[in-house]
Amino acid sequence: MPTLITGWALLGGALLLAVVAVNVVSVLGAIFDAPFPGDFELTEMGVANAAFAFLPYCQLTRSNVTADIFTQNAGPRMVAFLRLLSSIVALLFGLLLLWRMYAGMLDQKQYNYETSILQVPIWMAFVPVLISLALLAVAAAITLAQDLRDLSRKG
């Protein structure tokens, strides 16, 4: 599963590079009077999907923002407990977002919302986000198991 999560983050990075390419083509097109229709729509969907693709990897590698200044004088058991707590929060947060984003996708699909220029069904942009959130929950479960083992060793 860690390999899948890493691969998903790399796909997110490739998507972000594609968004940059779209924007370069759009700017060059504006200079040469050859507009790129839908560049804003593609940028919006691409950046959102890329950002969500990075979340599971950040959780798995513990690369999220932390406030180490508060734990620098804490003992190993307290640090292990706080890491466990953060994994629980990440798991609950991932599951909550997965549930609500799924409901949002169903609403978008039911009402047939589309982007205004390219006429792309908006619900389709939710699918990679849902995959990212499911992987976030898996990554949080993995770190939670690691934290439980660490806490039991420190106690």
Side-chain angles (χ1 to χ4, degrees):
M1 194 57 74
T3 304
L4 177 63
I5 290 170
T6 301
W8 190 251
L10 289 172
L11 279 175
L15 179 59
L16 207 50
L17 289 174
V19 167
V20 169
V22 163
N23 282 277
V24 167
V25 170
S26 177
V27 169
L28 291 175
I31 291 170
F32 296 109
D33 201 30
F36 188 110
D39 59 335
F40 285 100
E41 296 171 352
L42 293 174
T43 298
E44 183 178 31
M45 289 185 290
V47 169
N49 279 293
F52 275 95
F54 300 141
L55 291 177
Y57 183 78
C58 288
Q59 177 63 33
L60 189 66
T61 60
R62 300 181 189 275
S63 300
N64 291 314
V65 175
T66 59
D68 294 339
I69 194 167
F70 296 112
T71 59
Q72 67 186 0
N73 294 325
R77 185 160 173 74
M78 177 57 82
V79 171
F81 173 74
L82 292 172
R83 287 181 76 165
L84 173 74
L85 191 60
S86 71
S87 290
I88 292 169
V89 169
L91 177 60
L92 294 174
F93 182 69
L95 292 173
L96 175 68
L97 280 178
L98 180 61
W99 169 48
R100 297 316 303 154
M101 290 294 273
Y102 180 73
M105 181 192 72
L106 293 179
D107 282 347
Q108 296 293 326
K109 192 171 183 179
Q110 178 182 356
Y111 293 111
N112 295 318
Y113 287 129
E114 296 178 334
T115 61
S116 56
I117 296 172
L118 297 177
Q119 302 296 300
V120 175
I122 292 176
W123 70 267
M124 292 175 69
F126 279 70
V127 175
V129 170
L130 293 173
I131 293 169
S132 295
L133 291 171
L135 289 173
L136 173 60
V138 169
I142 291 170
T143 59
L144 179 60
Q146 291 169 349
D147 295 336
L148 283 169
R149 282 191 302 273
D150 287 349
L151 189 60
S152 68
R153 281 188 222 136
K154 306 245 190 280

